[in-house]
Amino acid sequence: MPTVLIIDDNAAVAIALDVLFSLHDIGALRATSPEEGLAILEQTSVDLVIQDMNFSADTTSGEEGTALFRDIRRRHPDLPVILLTAWTHLDAAVDLVKSGAADYLSKPWNDNRLIATVTNLIELGQANRSLRQRVQQERRVRRDLEQGFDLRGMVWQDAATERVLHLACQVARADVPVLISGPNGTGKERIAEIIQANSLVADGPFVVLNCGALPAELIEAELFGAEAGAYTGASRAREGKFEAADGGTLFLDEIGNLPLAGQMKLLRVLETGRFERLGSNRERQVKVRVISATNADLGAMIRAGTFREDLFYRLNVIELRLPALAARPADILPLASAFLPRGKSLHHCAQAALLAHAWPGNVRELKNVMARASLLAAGDIIKAADLGLPVTVAASVEVEPDRDAIVQSMARAGGVVAQAAADLGLSRQALYRRMERLGIAR
């Protein structure tokens, strides 16, 4: 049951409110003085405060109520407060509402309006508490990840990315193959590096082979090595990626491009740790953690007969699905800022353009866009036009800067309003009006 604290020295008022709330399943606590009310707040959790504006006899200035409100706001900044006021100090109540009071009601009050206001504020407070708890939980999870694991400088903010990171760190020390799936350019190799860095073979080599970057006839030689004369141009013996990765991790990117003959040999290595170089009959033994990645639909390839089903299940002991950048939008701005050189920052219109873009090339495309923009921008502020992105309806609409954007611009400008206004694309007078409305000190 939600609880309201009534701070009023008039017993009749307090009893009337208590009865009214009891009819709507709302608990009520009563205090007859500011001191008693503040003491109750220190000892008991309440959802809302209703306070009078005067407590001393023959006092109508509202100064006591103002002082009480400011004490409550200082000690409990998120607690909603409703002011009970008479016409003689209505202006004081209005000023306090501007300072953060939830509402004011004149005596005598309207029961229906009071109940509606109290109910709405209690529900809003509960929603805000749930949001704060979720944010705190997310911060704890992030802190645990950052402090407990080597994340290789990974930049993220989106919960979808965090879930992948958490699972990657969770399985890193398990000696099993991992398959990382997702579109091209999403950062699959970075996830593989994180798994390696937190694995039992973290001190071993980390070897990368892009199976899609080599002709099919050379992939086997790259994987397993070759003796001199094993194929045209092989003038001397060479070791393959498995030998190079012995005691560490082999990352096979675009595993779907591996030809069927190479798939069969890879399956044998995964099962036994043994293989032969091309052109050799001598078996070699290695101990390698294999991480593979693909943007292909391996299930469809199995049905088409171009990928071995037994290899798929051997590789897919643990699968990590890394979403496209558009599916984790909270990552876009942190990544964009990380790709900028020190001293450069994003105009709020550029931020809106980045968020409106579909990012078919994912993180790789974003990195290239920021590199180009940092070279083309006339100053240290990256504007939307510097990005070279297609103009969309969402990006072409003038974006009203929010409080954070204004505070950041003022900080960059060292408090010079004219410079911050130019940064935000506003006149100085327009910025002054927004600062006054949002309560930002000059």
Side-chain angles (χ1 to χ4, degrees):
M1 177 185 295
T3 303
V4 174
L5 173 60
I6 304 163
I7 309 177
D8 198 308
D9 60 340
N10 188 325
V13 169
I15 291 172
L17 289 173
D18 192 346
V19 171
L20 176 63
F21 292 144
S22 68
L23 296 175
H24 293 83
D25 296 323
I26 299 173
L29 300 174
R30 288 185 279 173
T32 59
S33 68
E35 296 76 17
E36 184 182 358
L38 291 172
I40 291 175
L41 288 176
E42 292 300 321
Q43 300 171 3
T44 308
S45 175
V46 302
D47 297 283
L48 182 141
V49 172
I50 296 179
Q51 67 153 87
D52 195 10
M53 292 293 292
N54 291 295
F55 295 91
S56 300
D58 301 325
T59 299
T60 60
S61 66
E63 292 179 358
E64 293 172 308
T66 299
L68 172 59
F69 169 77
R70 298 198 186 285
D71 277 341
I72 294 174
R73 178 60 64 240
R74 184 175 63 256
R75 302 182 192 187
H76 309 278
D78 298 324
L79 185 62
V81 178
I82 295 178
L83 308 172
L84 282 180
T85 177
W87 67 271
T88 51
H89 41 82
L90 183 58
D91 290 344
V94 172
D95 288 340
L96 292 183
V97 169
K98 292 180 180 178
S99 299
D103 203 352
Y104 67 88
L105 297 174
S106 300
K107 297 178 181 178
W109 60 83
N110 179 287
D111 284 353
N112 292 331
R113 180 191 168 188
L114 175 58
I115 288 298
T117 300
V118 168
T119 301
N120 289 338
L121 288 172
I122 289 175
E123 291 177 353
L124 179 62
Q126 292 171 342
N128 287 338
R129 280 194 297 275
S130 297
L131 177 60
R132 285 195 300 273
Q133 290 171 357
R134 187 170 74 249
V135 169
Q136 291 170 357
Q137 174 64 20
E138 291 172 353
R139 287 175 178 170
R140 281 195 296 270
V141 170
R142 185 185 184 100
R143 185 174 61 250
D144 291 344
L145 278 174
E146 291 175 335
Q147 294 178 353
F149 300 95
D150 180 356
L151 300 181
R152 313 302 291 171
M154 181 80 171
V155 175
W156 87 96
Q157 196 65 49
D158 201 278
T161 308
E162 189 165 279
R163 286 192 291 271
V164 176
L165 275 175
H166 190 272
L167 183 55
C169 293
Q170 185 178 355
V171 304
R173 296 181 69 81
D175 187 19
V176 295
V178 176
L179 175 64
I180 307 170
S181 59
N184 282 335
T186 51
K188 297 190 289 293
E189 185 171 340
R190 179 57 59 86
I191 298 297
E193 291 175 357
I194 291 171
I195 294 173
Q196 152 74 5
N198 296 280
S199 69
L200 295 174
V201 292
D203 294 332
F206 179 75
V207 178
V208 178
L209 175 64
N210 187 335
C211 299
L214 291 170
E217 60 271 16
L218 294 181
I219 290 180
E220 286 188 54
E222 284 292 320
L223 277 174
F224 309 113
E227 298 293 346
Y231 59 90
T232 302
S235 58
R236 58 186 178 84
R238 52 176 300 213
E239 71 174 13
K241 299 299 185 183
F242 267 101
E243 289 179 79
D246 193 14
T249 300
L250 174 60
F251 175 56
L252 300 176
D253 200 6
E254 303 299 345
I255 189 67
N257 291 86
L258 191 64
L260 285 170
Q263 292 178 31
M264 182 175 63
K265 291 185 178 181
L266 175 59
L267 178 63
R268 181 167 181 261
V269 179
L270 292 175
E271 291 176 342
T272 67
R274 298 187 180 91
F275 66 95
E276 299 95 19
R277 287 180 178 177
L278 290 181
S280 171
N281 292 322
R282 183 169 73 85
E283 277 195 340
R284 301 172 187 271
Q285 179 83 39
V286 291
K287 179 65 174 176
V288 174
R289 168 80 173 276
V290 174
I291 302 173
S292 54
T294 183
N295 69 334
D297 183 347
L298 295 184
M301 293 182 67
I302 291 171
R303 293 189 292 273
T306 57
F307 200 85
R308 293 180 62 102
E309 186 174 15
D310 48 2
L311 176 60
F312 171 75
Y313 289 118
R314 193 68 178 82
L315 293 170
N316 194 27
V317 176
I318 300 292
E319 182 175 4
L320 303 178
R321 294 181 180 271
L322 191 57
L325 183 58
R328 41 190 174 112
D331 286 346
I332 294 173
L333 296 184
L335 282 168
S337 297
F339 292 144
L340 286 176
R342 184 182 298 274
K344 292 186 179 290
S345 58
L346 291 164
H347 189 277
H348 71 274
C349 290
Q351 294 179 5
L354 291 172
L355 293 173
H357 188 56
W359 299 111
N362 296 294
V363 179
R364 187 177 297 133
E365 180 189 3
L366 175 60
K367 184 177 183 178
N368 292 339
V369 166
M370 300 317 297
R372 181 176 63 247
S374 64
L375 292 174
L376 298 180
D380 290 336
I381 306 299
I382 307 296
K383 306 290 181 64
D386 299 324
L387 300 173
L389 296 175
V391 178
T392 65
V393 174
S396 62
V397 175
E398 181 64 24
V399 179
E400 175 72 13
D402 60 13
R403 178 181 173 81
D404 288 343
I406 293 175
V407 170
Q408 290 170 9
S409 291
M410 287 292 290
R412 287 194 298 268
V416 179
V417 175
Q419 184 176 337
D423 176 21
L424 294 167
L426 301 172
S427 68
R428 188 172 58 181
Q429 292 75 17
L431 180 55
Y432 274 132
R433 289 195 297 271
R434 286 163 175 79
M435 290 173 66
E436 183 177 355
R437 186 176 71 245
L438 296 171
I440 301 173
R442 297 184 184 181

